[in-house]
């Protein structure tokens, strides 16, 4: 009804030479139409495009579109009330589009901020996971060092046990030899010296021959050793006091030999017991070292498992952060596109409307100290002349 009330046929469209200083420019590039004859103000195209962007019923859009020329094509100082109303309605529609574009920018900004916050959290998780992995790796290194130390302790304990067992075998051998030597001397005294000293039977030379090897290394006087074969060969009735003295001295040497061997045997037995205790202690130490090594190995296995888990957690955190990256980039691109759309709307569509809305006749402009001509700046798509 508004446009029906406008004197459409009698309205003149005033045009003026475009001013490069005032002409709003559109960001997108489009070829300027070749003007063969005067046409409607090029700024109408910007307003028409803005109305196409408005959320309006088709009938309302058509009505406002039909008002562009009859209302905005008339300088403001020559407009009738209905034309002012039409211009105001168009302005309200463009303001609504501006608000809608600003709302889209705000929505994309909020979405991007949310994604940036989520990305920050993911990156923080990745950093935390990296720190956990560092600690886990350090723990593995420490546990591995303990395992190596425990293994060295086991080897040392094993070597010590083997040396103690060898020492015990040597002591057992010495004790056995001492016991055998003692038994041999005692047996020789009973079987050869007693019959020789008591003069029982004959065979004194044979008895001395059996006893002589036992005297080696005992320190028996050489003169005694020379006299004994003759003295032992005599029957008791034929022996002189010297012979008897020599045989008695032989008995003393054999008794001393028994005492010496008994002491050696007793000492060897005690040494054998000591080495047996040392072997038992070495075995216990080996068992302790072996158990410690097993415990260290278990701790190392647990640390290695924790390290694997930390590695998996870090990889997952990094993957999540990397996966969110493209989404954040898309959000940034969407925000930039919305901002560009708003900037383009303000710089082109809204500028076209404002130029048409504020256009005045020369008379009105001169009265206000304005420019010498009525001016409606033409906006050429893609650039201004």
């Amino acid at each position: 009804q508004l446009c029906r009330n406008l004197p459409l046929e009698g309205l003149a469209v005033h045009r003026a030479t475009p001013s490069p200083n005032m002409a709003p420019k559109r960001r997108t590039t489009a070829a300027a139409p070749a003007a063969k004859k005067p046409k409607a103000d090029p700024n109408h195209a910007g307003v028409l495009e803005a109305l196409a962007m408005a959320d309006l019923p088709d009938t309302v859009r058509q009505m406002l579109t039909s008002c562009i020329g009859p209302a905005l094509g008339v300088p403001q100082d020559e407009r009738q009330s209905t034309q002012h109303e039409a211009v105001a309605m168009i302005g309200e529609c463009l303001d609504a589009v501006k608000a809608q574009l600003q709302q889209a920018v705000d929505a994309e900004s909020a979405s991007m901020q949310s994604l940036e916050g989520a990305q920050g959290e993911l990156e923080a998780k990745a950093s935390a996971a990296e720190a956990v992995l560092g600690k886990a790796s350090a723990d593995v290194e420490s546990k591995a060092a303990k395992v190596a130390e425990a293994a060295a302790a086991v080897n040392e304990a094993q070597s010590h046990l083997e040396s103690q067992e060898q020492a015990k075998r040597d002591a057992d051998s010495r004790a056995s030899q001492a016991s055998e030597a003692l038994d041999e001397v005692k047996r020789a005294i009973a079987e050869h010296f007693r019959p020789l000293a008591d003069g029982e039977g004959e065979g004194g030379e044979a008895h001395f021959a059996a006893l002589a090897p036992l005297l080696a290394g005992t320190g028996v006087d050489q003169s005694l050793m020379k006299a004994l074969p003759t003295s032992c060969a005599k029957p008791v009735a034929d022996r002189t006091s010297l012979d008897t003295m020599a045989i008695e001295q032989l008995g003393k040497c054999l008794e001393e030999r028994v005492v010496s061997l008994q002491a050696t045997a007793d000492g060897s037995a005690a040494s054998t017991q000591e080495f047996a205790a040392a072997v038992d202690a070495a075995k216990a130490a080996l068992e302790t070292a072996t158990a410690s090594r097993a415990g260290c190995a278990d701790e190392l296995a647990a640390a290695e498992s924790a390290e694997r888990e930390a590695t998996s957690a870090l990889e997952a955190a990094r993957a999540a952060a990397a996966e969110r990256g493209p989404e954040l980039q898309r959000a940034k691109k969407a925000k930039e596109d919305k901002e560009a759309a708003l900037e383009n709307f303000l710089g082109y569509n809204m500028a076209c409307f404002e130029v048409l809305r504020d256009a005045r006749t020369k008379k009105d402009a001169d009265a206000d100290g304005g420019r010498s001509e009525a001016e409606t700046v033409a906006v050429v798509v893609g650039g201004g002349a």
Side-chain angles (χ1 to χ4, degrees):
Q1 294 178 355
L2 171 63
C3 291
R4 290 175 184 174
N5 295 331
L6 296 176
L8 302 180
E9 296 180 356
L11 293 177
V13 178
H14 295 266
R15 296 178 55 81
T17 303
S19 173
N21 295 329
M22 296 183 61
K25 297 181 180 181
R26 189 178 185 184
R27 289 184 175 274
T28 56
T29 302
K36 295 182 180 180
K37 58 182 181 178
K39 294 183 178 180
D41 192 319
N43 291 308
H44 292 185
V47 178
L48 180 62
E49 182 179 90
L51 289 176
M53 298 167 62
D55 185 14
L56 297 171
D58 291 340
T59 54
V60 176
R61 193 189 323 277
Q62 292 172 2
M63 179 195 73
L64 294 177
T65 299
S66 66
C67 292
I68 294 175
L72 286 174
V74 177
Q76 61 173 317
D77 55 306
E78 292 184 355
R79 292 172 190 159
Q80 300 177 10
S81 61
T82 54
Q83 292 170 319
H84 282 295
E85 291 176 3
V87 172
M89 292 177 64
I90 294 173
E92 291 177 0
C93 289
L94 267 63
D95 287 339
V97 173
K98 174 185 175 182
Q100 182 179 358
L101 292 174
Q102 183 62 56
Q103 184 178 6
V105 170
D106 295 341
E108 292 297 339
S109 296
S111 176
M112 190 182 73
Q113 289 176 357
S114 176
L115 289 174
E116 286 178 338
Q119 181 73 5
E121 292 179 359
L122 291 175
E123 291 175 354
K125 288 182 179 179
S127 297
E130 188 173 0
V132 171
L133 177 58
K135 292 181 180 179
S137 298
D139 191 38
V140 167
E141 185 176 354
S142 175
K143 293 297 190 298
K146 289 184 177 179
V147 168
E149 292 176 1
V154 168
N155 293 334
E156 183 178 354
Q158 181 66 44
S159 297
H160 181 65
L161 173 61
E162 291 174 357
S163 66
Q164 292 300 315
E165 287 176 337
Q166 182 61 48
K168 181 179 181 300
R169 286 192 293 270
D170 293 343
D172 290 343
S173 177
R174 289 193 298 272
S176 176
Q177 292 174 1
S179 178
E180 291 176 358
L182 177 62
D183 291 341
E184 181 181 7
V185 172
K186 287 182 177 180
R187 187 168 52 253
I189 291 175
E191 294 178 357
H192 299 287
F193 179 74
R194 293 301 177 192
L196 179 64
D198 295 340
E200 297 176 358
E202 299 179 354
E205 294 179 355
H207 287 308
F208 178 74
L211 294 174
L214 302 178
L215 299 176
T218 60
V220 177
D221 186 74
Q222 292 298 320
S223 59
L224 177 63
M225 289 297 295
K226 291 180 180 179
L228 280 173
T230 303
S231 298
C232 291
K234 295 179 181 180
V236 175
D238 296 337
R239 294 174 184 171
T240 65
S241 59
L242 293 177
D243 295 329
T244 302
M245 186 181 299
I247 292 174
E248 290 177 351
Q249 188 64 35
L250 172 62
K252 290 181 179 180
C253 289
L254 291 175
E255 289 297 332
E256 290 176 356
R257 180 65 173 166
V258 169
V259 171
S260 175
L261 290 175
Q262 185 65 57
T264 300
D266 293 343
S268 297
S271 178
T272 297
Q273 294 178 352
E274 292 177 358
F275 280 112
V279 168
D280 292 340
K283 287 181 178 180
L286 177 60
E287 291 177 358
T288 300
T290 302
S292 177
R293 181 182 62 181
C296 290
D298 291 340
E299 292 179 359
L300 175 60
E304 289 174 338
S305 177
E307 183 183 34
R308 289 192 295 271
E309 293 178 0
T311 300
S312 298
L314 176 58
E315 291 175 351
R318 286 177 173 173
E323 183 179 356
R324 186 62 63 89
E327 184 178 358
L328 180 58
Q329 292 301 319
R330 289 192 295 270
K332 290 181 179 179
K333 179 64 169 56
K335 178 177 176 291
E336 291 173 356
D337 291 344
K338 296 300 183 182
E339 290 174 338
L342 175 60
E343 185 177 355
N344 185 73
F345 177 80
L346 295 175
Y348 173 63
N349 302 99
M350 187 61 81
C352 288
F353 170 73
E354 291 172 349
V355 168
L356 293 171
R357 180 194 64 191
D358 299 337
R360 294 180 297 170
T361 62
K362 176 182 178 182
K363 177 181 178 181
D364 187 59
D366 290 342
D368 292 342
R371 302 181 61 170
S372 61
E373 297 182 2
E375 184 177 87
T376 302
V377 178
V379 177
V380 180
V381 178

